Amino acid sequence: MENGDGKSDVPADANEHCPGTQSDEAGKAEACAGCPNQQICATAPKGPDPDLVGIAERMATVKHKILVLSGKGGVGKSTFSAQLSFALAEMDCQVGLLDIDICGPSIPKMLGLEGQDIHQSNLGWSPVYVESNLGVMSIGFMLPNPDDAVIWRGPRKNGLIKQFLKDVDWGEIDYLVVDAPPGTSDEHISIVQYLQAAGIDGAIIVTTPQQVSLIDVRKEINFCKKVGVPVLGVVENMSGLRQAISDFRFVKQGEGGEMDATEWALNYIKERAPELLSMVACSEVFDSSKGGAEKMCSEMGVPFLGKVPMDPQLCKAAEEGRSCFVDPKCSASAPALKSIVKKLIKTE
């Protein structure tokens, strides 16, 4: 957006007399006081950055770059990023998965790579490989202890993201999936600025159906529009519970508390209605009475990619660092995820 002085780097919601996001005074000038963008502007990189040339050269071997975002934490964004990467790799694509959630790196666990180390060569940092066509990079590989807290301010986070983009040797790959932290913080501003010259295909935004999540997704969509990142689509995750009746645990409640009745209940069903054991029970976990993500997408003019049910088997696969697509028990979630991936490929 341009202001009256012809500046093209002024956010739409900036204060009057904004110096512009690339100014040395960004976030520090008197006009910045009270601006919702003040903290981000004060810590974001300013002016021409010589490292951008190196990033553009490194990213020249990457055909497609996809950001995976969410408005809130805990909606299954990293699970989706991991399974998207598995799906693309199983389609014989060369895939890289970059985890820029600096303070909460969960990708190493979800890819079954805990305890792995990063190796360096004369070409740069080498990704850690799950398969020959699926490489991963995360700060999680750099922590001496996985329980260590990463307590970094914005500039240090931005520096590591830049290093990941500039120094990791992905080689010739078809897709780079970037798993970002929730919200719209320094990391998001940085990844967009650093990849601008190389080009970003777009962002996938993950949400759950209830309004408390969708409120923040609307902000995420507006963020993408402001910084010029196309929204490839929104995924509604945890869209109702789907679980085989045979996997349920049953309890009897009494004055003395709960008593496990699983064996009795399953035997009773087996004797009286055995056909139920092959059925899947469905239940709404979150309130979707106001239309959920699909209605929001229609209102905001962005694509809706589909719904993924809450599947305990998918959760187990993520905990164990496995692909849900090769696990027959993930019969509720795998087809939904596969349908979303096919839509995404067609969109591109």
Side-chain angles (χ1 to χ4, degrees), residues 331-348:
S331 57
S333 54
L337 284 163
K338 193 164 286 187
S339 174
I340 288 169
V341 174
K342 286 180 179 177
K343 283 184 184 178
L344 178 65
I345 299 298
K346 285 181 181 178
T347 300
E348 291 190 323

Side-chain angles (χ1 to χ4, degrees), residues 227-298:
V227 298
V229 174
V231 177
L232 299 176
V234 175
V235 174
E236 183 178 284
N237 197 27
M238 306 184 198
S239 185
L241 174 68
R242 302 288 187 275
Q243 186 170 6
I245 289 178
S246 58
D247 289 339
F248 269 84
R249 176 174 173 261
F250 297 86
V251 296
K252 284 183 180 179
Q253 291 188 329
E255 292 181 2
E258 290 185 351
M259 182 175 66
D260 189 277
T262 304
E263 185 178 356
W264 173 85
L266 291 177
N267 285 334
Y268 186 89
I269 294 171
K270 188 176 181 179
E271 292 172 5
R272 305 296 179 90
E275 63 274 11
L276 289 178
L277 293 175
S278 62
M279 297 184 72
V280 174
C282 305
S283 175
E284 292 299 319
V285 178
F286 299 110
D287 179 19
S288 58
S289 61
K290 295 188 178 179
E294 189 168 9
K295 183 180 179 184
M296 180 207 66
C297 288
S298 177

Side-chain angles (χ1 to χ4, degrees), residues 24-48:
D24 289 338
E25 292 298 306
K28 304 171 186 175
E30 288 185 18
C32 299
C35 176
N37 308 297
Q38 185 176 11
Q39 185 176 1
I40 292 176
C41 289
T43 56
K46 307 291 190 306

Side-chain angles (χ1 to χ4, degrees), residues 19-208:
T21 58
Q22 292 302 308
S23 167
D24 289 338
E25 292 298 306
K28 304 171 186 175
E30 288 185 18
C32 299
C35 176
N37 308 297
Q38 185 176 11
Q39 185 176 1
I40 292 176
C41 289
T43 56
K46 307 291 190 306
D49 187 339
D51 287 331
L52 294 183
V53 175
I55 291 172
E57 289 174 353
R58 184 70 81 177
M59 290 294 110
T61 62
V62 179
K63 291 180 183 176
H64 302 287
K65 304 158 199 75
I66 299 173
L67 306 182
V68 181
L69 311 175
S70 69
K72 281 192 178 299
V75 300
K77 168 188 56 61
S78 293
T79 300
F80 179 81
S81 295
Q83 296 303 322
L84 170 61
S85 301
F86 276 128
L88 293 170
E90 286 166 18
M91 294 168 67
D92 291 328
C93 296
Q94 298 292 326
V95 184
L97 175 54
L98 175 59
D99 181 5
I100 63 165
D101 193 344
I102 307 299
C103 295
S106 52
I107 287 298
K109 181 172 183 61
M110 291 187 174
L111 274 292
L113 297 173
E114 285 183 296
Q116 297 292 318
D117 296 319
I118 296 171
H119 299 284
Q120 287 184 290
S121 71
N122 59 342
L123 296 176
W125 288 354
S126 298
V128 178
Y129 283 90
V130 185
E131 301 287 349
S132 59
N133 64 335
L134 175 52
V136 181
M137 181 55 66
S138 170
I139 190 177
F141 299 134
M142 302 176 176
L143 301 177
N145 185 331
D147 295 332
D148 286 347
V150 180
I151 308 173
W152 290 2
R153 293 188 183 274
R156 194 171 177 191
K157 291 180 183 179
N158 296 339
L160 181 60
I161 292 170
K162 181 188 287 186
Q163 196 165 7
F164 279 158
L165 295 174
K166 183 170 64 76
D167 293 344
V168 176
D169 177 31
W170 297 104
E172 297 274 349
I173 62 172
D174 298 300
Y175 290 93
L176 178 64
V177 178
V178 181
D179 185 52
T184 52
S185 57
D186 283 356
E187 294 95 320
H188 304 80
I189 295 285
S190 296
I191 195 73
V192 171
Q193 285 184 337
Y194 297 152
L195 286 179
Q196 218 155 30
I200 303 172
D201 288 66
I204 301 169
I205 303 174
V206 181
T207 183
T208 46

